[in-house]
Coordinates of all heavy atoms in Angstrom, one line a residue:
M1 N -42.1 86.3 244.5 CA -41.8 85.6 245.8 C -42.0 86.6 247.0 O -42.5 86.2 248.0 CB -40.3 85.2 245.7 CG -39.9 84.4 247.0 SD -40.9 83.0 247.2 CE -39.6 81.8 247.3
L2 N -41.7 87.9 246.8 CA -41.9 88.8 247.8 C -43.4 89.0 248.2 O -43.7 89.1 249.4 CB -41.4 90.2 247.5 CG -39.9 90.4 247.4 CD1 -39.5 91.7 247.0 CD2 -39.2 90.0 248.8
F3 N -44.3 88.8 247.2 CA -45.7 88.9 247.5 C -46.2 87.8 248.4 O -46.9 88.1 249.4 CB -46.5 88.9 246.2 CG -48.0 89.0 246.4 CD1 -48.6 90.2 246.7 CD2 -48.8 87.9 246.2 CE1 -49.9 90.3 246.9 CE2 -50.1 87.9 246.4 CZ -50.7 89.1 246.8
R4 N -45.7 86.6 248.2 CA -46.1 85.5 249.0 C -45.5 85.7 250.4 O -46.2 85.4 251.4 CB -45.5 84.2 248.4 CG -46.1 83.0 249.1 CD -45.7 81.7 248.6 NE -45.3 81.6 247.2 CZ -44.9 80.6 246.6 NH1 -44.7 79.4 247.3 NH2 -44.5 80.6 245.4
S5 N -44.3 86.2 250.5 CA -43.6 86.4 251.8 C -44.4 87.5 252.6 O -44.6 87.3 253.8 CB -42.2 86.9 251.6 OG -41.4 85.9 251.0
E6 N -44.9 88.5 251.9 CA -45.6 89.6 252.5 C -46.9 89.0 253.1 O -47.3 89.4 254.2 CB -45.9 90.7 251.6 CG -46.5 91.9 252.2 CD -46.6 93.1 251.3 OE1 -46.1 93.0 250.2 OE2 -47.1 94.1 251.8
N7 N -47.6 88.2 252.4 CA -48.8 87.6 252.9 C -48.6 86.7 254.2 O -49.3 86.8 255.1 CB -49.5 86.7 251.8 CG -50.2 87.6 250.8 OD1 -50.5 88.7 251.0 ND2 -50.3 87.0 249.6
Y8 N -47.5 86.0 254.2 CA -47.2 85.1 255.3 C -46.8 86.0 256.5 O -47.2 85.7 257.7 CB -46.0 84.2 255.0 CG -46.4 83.0 254.2 CD1 -45.6 82.7 253.1 CD2 -47.5 82.2 254.4 CE1 -45.9 81.6 252.2 CE2 -47.8 81.2 253.6 CZ -47.0 80.9 252.5 OH -47.3 79.8 251.7
I9 N -46.1 87.1 256.3 CA -45.8 88.0 257.4 C -47.0 88.7 258.0 O -47.2 88.8 259.2 CB -44.7 89.0 257.0 CG1 -43.4 88.3 256.6 CG2 -44.4 90.0 258.1 CD1 -42.4 89.2 255.9
K10 N -47.9 89.1 257.1 CA -49.1 89.8 257.5 C -50.0 88.8 258.4 O -50.5 89.1 259.4 CB -50.0 90.2 256.4 CG -49.4 91.5 255.7 CD -50.3 91.9 254.6 CE -49.9 93.1 253.8 NZ -50.8 93.5 252.7
K11 N -50.0 87.5 257.9 CA -50.7 86.5 258.6 C -50.1 86.3 260.0 O -50.8 86.1 261.0 CB -50.8 85.2 257.8 CG -51.7 84.1 258.4 CD -51.7 82.9 257.6 CE -52.6 83.2 256.4 NZ -52.8 82.0 255.6
A12 N -48.8 86.2 260.1 CA -48.1 86.1 261.4 C -48.4 87.2 262.3 O -48.6 87.0 263.5 CB -46.6 85.9 261.1
I13 N -48.5 88.4 261.8 CA -48.8 89.6 262.6 C -50.2 89.5 263.2 O -50.4 89.7 264.4 CB -48.6 90.9 261.8 CG1 -47.1 91.2 261.6 CG2 -49.2 92.1 262.5 CD1 -46.8 92.3 260.6
E14 N -51.1 89.1 262.4 CA -52.5 88.9 262.8 C -52.6 87.8 263.9 O -53.3 88.0 264.9 CB -53.4 88.7 261.7 CG -53.6 89.8 260.7 CD -54.1 91.1 261.5 OE1 -55.0 91.0 262.3 OE2 -53.5 92.2 261.2
I15 N -51.9 86.7 263.7 CA -52.0 85.6 264.6 C -51.3 86.0 265.9 O -51.9 85.8 267.0 CB -51.3 84.4 264.0 CG1 -52.2 83.8 262.9 CG2 -51.1 83.3 265.1 CD1 -51.5 82.7 262.1
D16 N -50.2 86.7 265.9 CA -49.5 87.2 267.1 C -50.4 88.2 267.9 O -50.5 88.1 269.1 CB -48.2 87.8 266.8 CG -47.1 86.9 266.2 OD1 -47.3 85.6 266.4 OD2 -46.2 87.3 265.5
K17 N -51.1 89.0 267.1 CA -52.0 90.0 267.8 C -53.1 89.2 268.5 O -53.5 89.5 269.6 CB -52.6 91.0 266.8 CG -51.7 92.1 266.4 CD -52.4 93.0 265.4 CE -51.5 94.1 264.9 NZ -52.2 94.9 263.9
S18 N -53.7 88.3 267.8 CA -54.9 87.6 268.4 C -54.5 86.7 269.5 O -55.3 86.5 270.5 CB -55.6 86.8 267.3 OG -54.8 85.7 266.8
N19 N -53.3 86.2 269.5 CA -52.9 85.3 270.6 C -52.2 86.1 271.7 O -51.9 85.5 272.8 CB -51.9 84.2 270.1 CG -52.6 83.2 269.2 OD1 -53.8 83.0 269.3 ND2 -51.8 82.6 268.3
G20 N -51.9 87.3 271.5 CA -51.2 88.1 272.5 C -49.8 87.8 272.8 O -49.3 88.0 273.9
V21 N -49.1 87.3 271.8 CA -47.7 86.9 271.9 C -46.9 88.1 271.4 O -46.5 88.2 270.3 CB -47.4 85.6 271.1 CG1 -46.0 85.2 271.3 CG2 -48.3 84.5 271.4
L22 N -46.6 89.0 272.4 CA -46.1 90.3 272.0 C -44.6 90.2 271.5 O -44.3 90.9 270.6 CB -46.1 91.2 273.3 CG -47.5 91.7 273.7 CD1 -47.4 92.6 274.9 CD2 -48.3 92.3 272.5
I23 N -43.8 89.4 272.1 CA -42.4 89.3 271.6 C -42.4 88.8 270.2 O -41.6 89.4 269.4 CB -41.5 88.4 272.6 CG1 -40.1 88.7 272.3 CG2 -41.9 87.0 272.5 CD1 -39.5 89.9 272.8
N24 N -43.2 87.9 269.8 CA -43.3 87.4 268.5 C -43.9 88.5 267.5 O -43.5 88.6 266.4 CB -44.1 86.1 268.3 CG -43.3 84.9 268.9 OD1 -42.1 85.0 269.1 ND2 -44.0 83.8 269.1
L25 N -44.8 89.2 268.1 CA -45.4 90.3 267.3 C -44.3 91.4 266.9 O -44.2 91.8 265.8 CB -46.5 91.0 268.0 CG -47.2 92.2 267.4 CD1 -47.8 91.7 266.0 CD2 -48.3 92.7 268.3
G26 N -43.5 91.7 267.9 CA -42.4 92.6 267.6 C -41.4 92.1 266.6 O -41.0 92.8 265.7
K27 N -41.1 90.8 266.7 CA -40.2 90.2 265.7 C -40.8 90.1 264.4 O -40.1 90.3 263.3 CB -39.8 88.8 266.2 CG -38.9 88.8 267.4 CD -38.6 87.4 267.9 CE -37.7 87.4 269.1 NZ -37.5 86.0 269.6
S28 N -42.1 89.9 264.3 CA -42.8 89.9 263.0 C -42.8 91.3 262.3 O -42.6 91.4 261.1 CB -44.3 89.5 263.2 OG -44.3 88.1 263.6
Y29 N -42.9 92.3 263.1 CA -42.8 93.7 262.6 C -41.4 94.0 262.1 O -41.2 94.6 261.1 CB -43.2 94.7 263.6 CG -44.7 95.0 263.6 CD1 -45.4 94.7 264.8 CD2 -45.4 95.4 262.5 CE1 -46.8 94.9 264.8 CE2 -46.7 95.7 262.5 CZ -47.4 95.4 263.7 OH -48.8 95.6 263.7
V30 N -40.4 93.4 262.8 CA -39.0 93.6 262.3 C -38.8 92.9 261.0 O -38.2 93.4 260.0 CB -38.0 93.0 263.4 CG1 -36.6 93.0 262.8 CG2 -38.0 93.9 264.6
L31 N -39.4 91.7 260.9 CA -39.3 90.9 259.6 C -40.0 91.7 258.5 O -39.5 91.7 257.4 CB -39.9 89.5 259.8 CG -39.8 88.6 258.7 CD1 -38.4 88.3 258.2 CD2 -40.5 87.3 259.0
Y32 N -41.1 92.2 258.8 CA -41.9 93.0 257.8 C -41.1 94.2 257.4 O -41.1 94.5 256.2 CB -43.2 93.4 258.4 CG -44.3 93.7 257.4 CD1 -44.4 93.2 256.2 CD2 -45.4 94.6 257.8 CE1 -45.4 93.5 255.3 CE2 -46.4 94.8 256.9 CZ -46.4 94.3 255.7 OH -47.4 94.5 254.8
A33 N -40.4 94.9 258.3 CA -39.5 96.0 257.9 C -38.4 95.5 257.0 O -38.1 96.2 256.0 CB -38.9 96.6 259.2
E34 N -37.9 94.4 257.2 CA -36.8 93.8 256.4 C -37.3 93.6 254.9 O -36.6 93.9 254.0 CB -36.3 92.5 256.9 CG -35.1 91.9 256.1 CD -33.9 92.8 256.0 OE1 -33.6 93.5 257.0 OE2 -33.2 92.7 255.0
L35 N -38.5 93.2 254.8 CA -39.2 93.0 253.5 C -39.3 94.3 252.8 O -38.9 94.5 251.6 CB -40.5 92.3 253.7 CG -41.3 92.1 252.3 CD1 -40.7 90.9 251.6 CD2 -42.7 91.8 252.6
F36 N -39.7 95.4 253.5 CA -39.8 96.7 252.9 C -38.5 97.3 252.5 O -38.3 97.9 251.5 CB -40.6 97.7 253.9 CG -42.0 97.5 253.8 CD1 -42.7 97.2 255.0 CD2 -42.8 97.7 252.7 CE1 -44.1 97.0 255.0 CE2 -44.1 97.6 252.6 CZ -44.8 97.2 253.8
K37 N -37.4 97.0 253.3 CA -36.1 97.4 253.0 C -35.7 96.8 251.7 O -35.1 97.5 250.8 CB -35.1 97.1 254.1 CG -35.2 98.0 255.2 CD -34.1 97.9 256.3 CE -33.3 96.6 256.3 NZ -32.4 96.5 257.5
R38 N -36.0 95.5 251.5 CA -35.6 94.8 250.3 C -36.4 95.4 249.0 O -35.9 95.4 247.9 CB -35.9 93.3 250.4 CG -34.9 92.7 251.3 CD -35.1 91.2 251.4 NE -34.3 90.6 252.3 CZ -34.0 89.3 252.3 NH1 -34.5 88.5 251.5 NH2 -33.1 88.8 253.3
K39 N -37.6 95.9 249.3 CA -38.4 96.5 248.2 C -38.0 97.9 247.9 O -38.4 98.5 247.0 CB -39.9 96.5 248.6 CG -40.5 95.1 248.7 CD -41.9 95.2 249.3 CE -43.0 94.9 248.4 NZ -44.3 95.0 249.1
G40 N -37.1 98.5 248.8 CA -36.7 99.8 248.6 C -37.6 100.9 249.2 O -37.6 102.1 248.9
C41 N -38.5 100.5 250.1 CA -39.5 101.3 250.8 C -39.0 101.7 252.2 O -39.4 101.0 253.2 CB -40.8 100.7 250.8 SG -41.5 100.2 249.2
Q42 N -38.1 102.6 252.3 CA -37.5 103.0 253.6 C -38.5 103.5 254.6 O -38.4 103.2 255.8 CB -36.4 104.0 253.4 CG -35.2 103.4 252.6 CD -34.0 103.4 253.4 OE1 -33.9 104.0 254.5 NE2 -33.0 102.8 252.9
F43 N -39.5 104.3 254.1 CA -40.5 104.9 255.1 C -41.3 103.8 255.7 O -41.4 103.8 257.0 CB -41.4 105.8 254.3 CG -42.5 106.4 255.2 CD1 -42.2 107.4 256.1 CD2 -43.8 105.9 255.2 CE1 -43.2 107.9 256.9 CE2 -44.8 106.4 256.0 CZ -44.5 107.4 256.9
E44 N -41.8 102.8 255.0 CA -42.5 101.7 255.5 C -41.7 100.8 256.4 O -42.2 100.4 257.5 CB -43.2 100.8 254.4 CG -44.3 101.5 253.7 CD -43.9 102.4 252.5 OE1 -42.6 102.6 252.3 OE2 -44.7 102.9 251.8
A45 N -40.4 100.7 256.1 CA -39.5 99.9 256.9 C -39.4 100.6 258.3 O -39.5 99.9 259.3 CB -38.1 99.8 256.3
K46 N -39.1 101.9 258.3 CA -39.0 102.6 259.6 C -40.3 102.6 260.4 O -40.2 102.4 261.6 CB -38.7 104.1 259.3 CG -37.3 104.4 258.9 CD -37.0 105.9 258.7 CE -35.7 106.1 258.1 NZ -35.4 107.6 258.0
E47 N -41.4 102.7 259.8 CA -42.7 102.6 260.5 C -42.9 101.3 261.2 O -43.3 101.2 262.3 CB -43.9 102.9 259.6 CG -43.9 104.3 259.1 CD -44.0 105.3 260.2 OE1 -44.9 105.2 261.1 OE2 -43.2 106.3 260.2
N48 N -42.5 100.2 260.5 CA -42.7 98.9 261.1 C -41.6 98.7 262.2 O -41.9 98.0 263.2 CB -42.6 97.8 260.1 CG -43.8 97.6 259.3 OD1 -44.8 97.1 259.8 ND2 -43.9 98.2 258.1
L49 N -40.4 99.2 262.0 CA -39.4 99.1 263.1 C -39.9 99.9 264.3 O -39.7 99.5 265.5 CB -38.1 99.6 262.6 CG -37.4 98.7 261.6 CD1 -36.1 99.4 261.0 CD2 -37.0 97.4 262.2
K50 N -40.5 101.1 264.1 CA -41.0 101.9 265.3 C -42.1 101.1 266.0 O -42.1 101.2 267.2 CB -41.5 103.2 264.8 CG -40.4 104.1 264.3 CD -40.9 105.4 263.8 CE -39.8 106.3 263.3 NZ -40.3 107.6 262.6
K51 N -43.0 100.4 265.3 CA -44.0 99.6 265.9 C -43.3 98.5 266.8 O -43.8 98.2 267.9 CB -44.9 98.9 264.9 CG -45.8 99.9 264.2 CD -46.7 99.2 263.2 CE -47.5 100.1 262.4 NZ -48.3 99.4 261.3
A52 N -42.3 97.9 266.2 CA -41.6 96.8 266.9 C -41.0 97.4 268.2 O -41.0 96.7 269.3 CB -40.5 96.2 266.1
I53 N -40.4 98.6 268.2 CA -39.7 99.2 269.3 C -40.8 99.4 270.4 O -40.6 99.1 271.6 CB -39.0 100.5 269.0 CG1 -37.8 100.2 268.1 CG2 -38.6 101.3 270.2 CD1 -37.2 101.5 267.4
E54 N -41.9 99.9 270.1 CA -43.0 100.2 271.0 C -43.4 98.9 271.7 O -43.6 98.8 272.9 CB -44.2 100.8 270.3 CG -44.1 102.2 269.9 CD -45.4 102.7 269.2 OE1 -46.5 102.2 269.5 OE2 -45.2 103.6 268.4
I55 N -43.5 97.8 270.9 CA -44.0 96.5 271.5 C -42.9 96.0 272.4 O -43.2 95.5 273.5 CB -44.3 95.5 270.3 CG1 -45.5 96.0 269.6 CG2 -44.5 94.1 270.8 CD1 -45.8 95.3 268.3
F56 N -41.6 96.0 272.0 CA -40.5 95.5 272.8 C -40.5 96.3 274.1 O -40.3 95.7 275.2 CB -39.2 95.6 272.0 CG -39.1 94.6 270.9 CD1 -38.5 94.9 269.7 CD2 -39.6 93.3 271.0 CE1 -38.3 94.0 268.7 CE2 -39.5 92.4 270.0 CZ -38.9 92.8 268.8
R57 N -40.6 97.6 274.1 CA -40.6 98.4 275.3 C -41.7 98.0 276.2 O -41.6 97.9 277.4 CB -40.6 99.9 275.0 CG -39.4 100.4 274.3 CD -38.3 100.8 275.3 NE -37.2 101.3 274.6 CZ -35.9 101.1 274.9 NH1 -35.7 100.3 275.9 NH2 -35.0 101.6 274.2
Y58 N -42.9 97.9 275.6 CA -44.1 97.5 276.4 C -43.9 96.2 277.2 O -44.3 96.1 278.3 CB -45.3 97.4 275.5 CG -46.6 97.1 276.2 CD1 -47.3 98.0 277.0 CD2 -47.1 95.8 276.2 CE1 -48.4 97.7 277.6 CE2 -48.2 95.4 276.9 CZ -48.9 96.4 277.6 OH -50.1 96.1 278.3
C59 N -43.3 95.2 276.5 CA -43.2 93.9 277.2 C -41.9 93.7 277.9 O -41.6 92.7 278.4 CB -43.4 92.8 276.2 SG -42.3 92.6 274.9
G60 N -41.1 94.8 278.0 CA -39.9 94.8 278.8 C -38.7 94.2 278.1 O -37.7 93.9 278.8
A61 N -38.7 94.0 276.8 CA -37.6 93.5 276.0 C -36.7 94.6 275.6 O -36.6 94.9 274.4 CB -38.1 92.6 274.9
D62 N -36.1 95.3 276.5 CA -35.3 96.5 276.2 C -34.1 96.2 275.3 O -33.7 97.0 274.5 CB -34.8 97.2 277.5 CG -36.0 97.7 278.3 OD1 -37.0 98.1 277.7 OD2 -35.9 97.8 279.5
G63 N -33.5 95.0 275.5 CA -32.4 94.6 274.6 C -32.8 94.6 273.1 O -32.1 95.1 272.3
W64 N -34.0 94.0 272.9 CA -34.5 94.0 271.5 C -34.8 95.4 271.0 O -34.5 95.7 269.9 CB -35.8 93.1 271.4 CG -35.5 91.7 271.3 CD1 -35.6 90.7 272.3 CD2 -35.1 91.0 270.1 NE1 -35.2 89.5 271.8 CE2 -34.9 89.6 270.5 CE3 -34.8 91.4 268.8 CZ2 -34.5 88.7 269.6 CZ3 -34.4 90.4 267.9 CH2 -34.3 89.1 268.3
A65 N -35.3 96.2 271.9 CA -35.7 97.6 271.5 C -34.4 98.4 271.1 O -34.4 99.1 270.1 CB -36.4 98.3 272.7
V66 N -33.3 98.2 271.8 CA -32.1 98.9 271.5 C -31.5 98.4 270.1 O -31.1 99.2 269.3 CB -31.0 98.6 272.6 CG1 -29.6 99.1 272.2 CG2 -31.4 99.3 273.9
I67 N -31.6 97.1 269.9 CA -31.1 96.6 268.6 C -31.9 97.2 267.5 O -31.4 97.6 266.5 CB -31.3 95.0 268.6 CG1 -30.3 94.4 269.6 CG2 -31.1 94.5 267.2 CD1 -30.5 92.9 269.8
V68 N -33.3 97.2 267.6 CA -34.1 97.8 266.6 C -33.9 99.3 266.4 O -33.9 99.8 265.3 CB -35.6 97.4 266.8 CG1 -36.5 98.0 265.8 CG2 -35.7 95.9 266.8
E69 N -33.7 100.0 267.5 CA -33.4 101.4 267.5 C -32.1 101.7 266.7 O -32.1 102.6 265.9 CB -33.3 102.0 268.9 CG -34.6 102.2 269.6 CD -34.4 102.6 271.1 OE1 -33.3 102.4 271.6 OE2 -35.4 103.0 271.6
N70 N -31.1 100.8 266.8 CA -29.9 101.0 266.0 C -30.2 100.7 264.6 O -29.6 101.4 263.7 CB -28.8 100.0 266.5 CG -28.3 100.4 267.9 OD1 -28.4 101.6 268.3 ND2 -27.8 99.4 268.6
E71 N -31.1 99.8 264.3 CA -31.5 99.6 262.9 C -32.2 100.8 262.3 O -31.9 101.2 261.1 CB -32.4 98.4 262.8 CG -32.8 98.0 261.4 CD -31.7 97.4 260.6 OE1 -30.7 96.9 261.2 OE2 -31.8 97.4 259.4
V72 N -33.1 101.4 263.1 CA -33.7 102.7 262.6 C -32.7 103.7 262.3 O -32.8 104.4 261.3 CB -34.8 103.1 263.6 CG1 -35.3 104.5 263.2 CG2 -35.9 102.1 263.7
A73 N -31.7 103.9 263.2 CA -30.7 104.9 263.0 C -29.9 104.7 261.8 O -29.5 105.6 261.1 CB -29.8 104.9 264.2
S74 N -29.7 103.4 261.4 CA -28.9 103.1 260.2 C -29.7 103.4 258.9 O -29.1 103.6 257.9 CB -28.4 101.7 260.2 OG -29.5 100.8 259.9
L75 N -31.0 103.5 259.0 CA -31.8 103.8 257.9 C -31.9 105.3 257.6 O -32.3 105.7 256.5 CB -33.2 103.3 258.0 CG -33.4 101.8 258.0 CD1 -34.8 101.4 258.3 CD2 -33.0 101.2 256.6
S76 N -31.6 106.1 258.6 CA -31.7 107.6 258.5 C -30.7 108.2 257.6 O -29.7 107.7 257.3 CB -31.7 108.2 259.8 OG -32.7 107.7 260.6

């Protein structure tokens, strides 16, 4: 089941990138990080959360960035 979910999330990331929908792209990276957390891959989870933070900061969604930064801190 996780393999299918991972494919859908990757597809969502690619679609968000091609359409330029940054807020959804950031949320997709957060979702991808959640998948990695469930798999027990903390490093990959942190990397995807950091990508999400960059995207949220870029598009001015500072509230989302703070939420995700707190999530990164909880993984440390």
Side-chain angles (χ1 to χ4, degrees):
M1 185 60 123
L2 288 178
F3 179 73
R4 191 179 334 176
S5 300
E6 186 170 359
N7 286 337
Y8 286 131
I9 295 168
K10 285 180 180 180
K11 187 178 284 188
I13 288 171
E14 290 305 314
I15 291 170
D16 293 340
K17 282 181 182 178
S18 66
N19 291 336
V21 185
L22 294 180
I23 194 77
N24 286 347
L25 180 59
K27 290 178 182 179
S28 293
Y29 276 118
V30 171
L31 183 61
Y32 204 24
E34 181 62 35
L35 181 75
F36 279 118
K37 284 188 341 189
R38 290 182 183 201
K39 290 168 114 179
C41 304
Q42 295 241 348
F43 177 78
E44 288 87 353
K46 284 183 186 180
E47 291 301 309
N48 282 284
L49 290 173
K50 289 176 184 177
K51 288 179 187 177
I53 292 168
E54 287 179 29
I55 292 165
F56 290 142
R57 291 278 183 217
Y58 179 78
C59 64
D62 293 330
W64 277 103
V66 170
I67 291 168
V68 178
E69 285 171 343
N70 291 336
E71 183 69 23
V72 170
S74 74
L75 290 176
S76 298

